[in-house]
Each structure stands twice: as structure tokens, then as C-alpha cells.
Amino acid sequence: MDDNAQDPTPDGRPVLGIGMVGYAFMGAAHSQGWRTVARAFDLPLRPAMNAVCGRDADGVRAAADRLGWGAAETDWRALIARDDVDLVDICTPGDSHAEIAIAALEAGKHVLCEKPLANTVEEAEAMVAAAEAARARGRIAMTGFNYRRTPAMALARRFVAEGRIGTLRHLRASYLQDWLVDPQAPMTWRLRKDSAGSGALGDLGAHIVDLAQHLAGEQLAGVSAVTETFVRRRPLASGGTDEVTVDDAALFTGRFASGALASFEASRYAAGRKNSLRVELNGDRGSLSFDLERLNELSFHDHTEPSVAAGFRRILVTEPDHPYLEGWWPPGHGLGYEHTFAHQARDLVHAIAAGTDPAPSFADGLRVQRVLAAVEESAAKNCVYTPVPA
């Protein structure tokens, strides 16, 4: 049991005080997860949404009221110092991840940090070192790759681990959006390298790299990449324009340590694709395919069956014995994007209570960061580049 949790509630469960930094899109998604998790699942600790932090006093106070947080702070250092905060949830742009996470871990807090873990490999390495030191003191650090928590994706990982597709030969993954197709779309922090680290590569590519390595159960050993920035300047709300300093799209191939081949595409310029994430794995005994736009379904082909009746079958992942479904609705009543954040919170709370290592850990986040850096290096040098092993 976590010895940093607060006094027990009337039902005997210790309280786990949550403090969140950042309250925009990801902050709202994480808030949904924290609000919901204890109502859907039996937890050993009761999460308490004690404080949220943002730089704008009026904005963060309004967000606290809207999202369900008990208090508002305008300085993340003050949030970390609060006695009623046991876990710091970081939902800020990447340029602040390392500073906040390291300070929180050194202050004796557990940490959940949104992906990508950092803006550089060096920052991610420093975060892993802090997490390892904190782990020796009983503190846990998790990277927020929420798509692992889609029930169908979790079922796919189970199938691979059970040998249902045999030896992996191919993996292909794409994550496509279209919110930058209009060249007059305004400048945001996501288009600046100093705040975002990279563009579609880090924003979208981080997810599919993590899913690829997670589903395959092994690491990428090398990549070859190209990237492109299609619109080089964007209008500012205050007038004029500013330079886009990140990629708009990234395409790369990869090879796993086993020799299996992989291909990846991440773009925010795919007209008509709002949030299209697709992954397919092909092995010598079968194949698996997932499409986020049909997130309650997993396609599975068993290549050992007689060919007369073989083919991809649709598995509706809504049964009580499917991953995470014990907390939700009767079979056939589908889940949505927001449920992945409740599942993330569930797994983290259980890890904290049991004192076990979380997944994905900061070390997993670093492994993804090294692949992203390898992709950038390969694209810049127009050559194959091998990431340093974790």
C-alpha cells in the first residue's frame, strides 16, 4: 500500500490526492478519467481531484469549477508543495515536462506525464534518472500513452503474447489528422519546436511508435525517414505571421530487433481524417488489425484455419472478460475515447497501491523518444539511423 496516501475515507480506502498541471485539451481528458475511474472500478485508493494549475488565474479557476477540481493554483511549484497532492499529473506542452516531473519526483510525489515524455532525448534521460531514484523511495512515474488502454488494443497485445499470430513479419501504423490542411489555420504552440519538440512526429508519431513496440513486444532497431513542412509560415492572432519550425508529416520505415519490418505515417494534412489511427500486424500464423474510428472492434485472421473458411473476423470487444470491460456496460454497448483515460488512471492507482512498476514507465517513454530522435536524424541526413539502445 502506498505510504504517501492521505488518511482513509469512511470505507477504509486511503485517499490519493491528485494535482494536475495544465487544463486545456489533455487536461480536460485527464480530468474526465479522474472523475470517472472510481465510479467504474473498485480501487484500492480513492483518487481526490484536489488541485489544478495554470498560469492564468481566471482561466484556471474557471477550469477547476468546470472540470471538478477542488482548488486552483497559478504556480506549479505551489501545486507540488501542497500536502494534499500525492500524484502530479502533467498535461503541459513538452518543453516543461522535464522540469515539472523531476521537481515532483524529488519532492516525493508520484508522477503521470503526457507523451511524448520530453522534447529531447537528454531531457527524457534526466527524467528516467529521477524516476529511478524516486522508485527506490517508493514513488512511481508513468508515461501517458492512453491508446494502450483501448480494450481492443489491449486484447491485441494479449493475442500477440499468446502466440496467436505467430512470428511477427510486418507491422504498419498510421496516425492521420487534417486540422492543418487550411494554410490560414492560426499559429499554435504545437507548431513551434521550442515548445513542442517536433510536429506530427511527436504529437502523433509518438503514439504509433509506442503502440508498435508495445504490441510487438520488442524494440525498433533502426529507422529510415523523411519529413516535410508543407506550410512554412502561419498567421498570428495579433497580426502578421510566424515561422513553423516543426514537421507537418513524417514517413518512416523500421526494422525490429527480430528482423520484422515496420512502416509508419504521421500527418496533420490528411484531408478528411480527423483522428485516424490504424495498426496492423502480420505474423506467420495470423494477423491483427485495429482502427481507432471503430475502436470497439478488433479484426483477427487465423492463418492456421482451412482456407475454405478462413479470413478476417470482426471481434466486438465489449464482453465482460475483455480488458477493462468489467467496469462498464453490457455486451455490445461500446466505449469511447474518454474511457482510455479512466483505464489509465485505474492502472496507475493499482500500481501505486501495490508498489509495482507502471506501464508504460518513463523508461518506455525514453525508448519512444530515442526512436523519434532517430527519425529526425535520418530525415535530416537522408540516411538510415540507429537509435541508441535503452
Side-chain angles (χ1 to χ4, degrees), residues 102-119:
I102 292 171
L105 290 166
E106 290 178 345
K109 313 294 184 178
H110 305 290
V111 173
L112 170 62
C113 184
E114 254 303 315
K115 64 85 215 164
L117 186 60
N119 277 3

Side-chain angles (χ1 to χ4, degrees), residues 115-121 124 145 193 196-210 213 220 223 225 227 247 250 252 264 266 364-380 385-388:
K115 64 85 215 164
L117 186 60
N119 277 3
T120 68
V121 169
F145 284 110
K193 188 172 182 62
S198 63
L201 177 61
D203 187 19
L204 309 180
H207 273 302
I208 54 178
V209 169
D210 176 69
Q213 297 187 140
L220 288 162
V223 296
T227 61
D247 60 280
F252 53 103
F264 301 86
D364 293 319
L366 172 59
R367 293 184 184 99
V368 172
Q369 200 76 45
R370 283 180 168 147
V371 174
L372 301 182
V375 169
E376 288 190 299
E377 187 77 8
S378 174
Y385 185 80
T386 302
V388 178

Side-chain angles (χ1 to χ4, degrees), residues 22-373:
Y23 57 86
F25 168 40
M26 270 300 107
H30 281 227
S31 298
Q32 172 74 7
W34 290 120
R35 281 198 310 271
T36 306
V37 62
R39 294 175 173 85
F41 300 100
D42 291 328
L43 300 177
L45 307 173
R46 185 178 67 80
M49 298 169 63
N50 286 338
V52 62
C53 180
R55 288 172 294 185
D56 179 83
D58 293 337
V60 72
R61 182 64 261 172
D65 294 341
R66 182 177 72 255
L67 300 175
W69 295 91
E73 299 281 359
T74 56
D75 185 338
W76 59 262
R77 296 170 186 85
L79 179 130
I80 288 174
R82 291 178 64 112
D83 292 336
D84 63 349
V85 169
D86 307 308
L87 182 150
V88 176
D89 185 350
I90 303 170
C91 298
T92 59
D95 60 334
S96 60
H97 284 186
E99 184 179 15
I100 298 172
I102 292 171
L105 290 166
E106 290 178 345
K109 313 294 184 178
H110 305 290
V111 173
L112 170 62
C113 184
E114 254 303 315
K115 64 85 215 164
L117 186 60
N119 277 3
T120 68
V121 169
E122 293 73 21
E123 289 175 344
E125 288 174 339
M127 295 170 74
V128 169
E132 290 173 346
R135 188 71 185 91
R137 303 190 299 272
R139 300 296 164 255
I140 283 173
M142 176 189 275
T143 307
F145 284 110
N146 66 295
Y147 290 129
R148 286 193 183 196
R149 267 75 189 194
T150 304
M153 201 73 78
L155 183 62
R157 173 61 193 139
R158 182 192 298 175
F159 277 18
V160 174
E162 292 172 350
R164 300 286 291 275
I165 69 167
T167 300
L168 181 65
R169 301 304 189 197
H170 297 285
L171 185 149
R172 60 194 60 81
S174 65
Y175 198 166
L176 309 176
Q177 296 178 349
D178 71 354
W179 62 278
L180 286 178
V181 168
D182 181 358
Q184 295 305 308
M187 191 72 181
T188 78
W189 67 267
R190 292 183 184 276
L191 303 180
R192 296 188 173 99
K193 188 172 182 62
D194 58 355
S195 56
S198 63
L201 177 61
D203 187 19
L204 309 180
H207 273 302
I208 54 178
V209 169
D210 176 69
L211 287 174
Q213 297 187 140
H214 172 60
L215 293 173
E218 58 177 314
Q219 306 301 305
L220 288 162
V223 296
S224 180
V226 293
T227 61
E228 184 56 71
T229 303
F230 300 116
V231 176
R232 302 275 171 174
R233 300 191 69 84
R234 289 276 176 180
L236 294 167
S238 57
T241 65
D242 195 10
E243 182 184 6
V244 175
T245 52
V246 298
D247 60 280
D248 288 329
L251 281 76
F252 53 103
T253 56
R255 185 187 299 273
F256 287 102
S258 64
L261 301 179
S263 63
F264 301 86
E265 181 180 11
S267 177
R268 301 189 290 209
Y269 275 75
R273 297 297 183 190
K274 301 303 177 184
N275 198 41
S276 176
L277 188 159
R278 299 179 181 182
V279 182
E280 182 169 319
L281 296 87
N282 308 122
D284 63 353
R285 292 176 57 85
S287 294
L288 290 165
S289 179
F290 172 79
D291 183 345
L292 185 63
E293 293 178 348
R294 305 174 69 92
L295 60 76
N296 291 287
E297 300 177 16
L298 182 67
S299 294
F300 173 59
H301 166 62
D302 186 342
H303 202 64
T304 67
E305 293 182 345
S307 60
V308 67
F312 276 92
R313 70 181 63 145
R314 169 181 171 266
I315 301 173
L316 186 62
V317 189
T318 61
E319 295 296 324
D321 55 351
H322 284 146
Y324 302 108
L325 267 297
E326 76 275 10
W328 300 111
W329 321 122
H333 294 71
L335 302 187
Y337 169 77
E338 72 276 11
H339 293 84
T340 63
F341 296 95
H343 301 162
Q344 177 174 268
R346 168 194 179 274
D347 290 350
L348 180 53
V349 170
H350 276 284
I352 290 171
T356 56
D357 292 329
S361 64
F362 273 19
D364 293 319
L366 172 59
R367 293 184 184 99
V368 172
Q369 200 76 45
R370 283 180 168 147
V371 174
L372 301 182

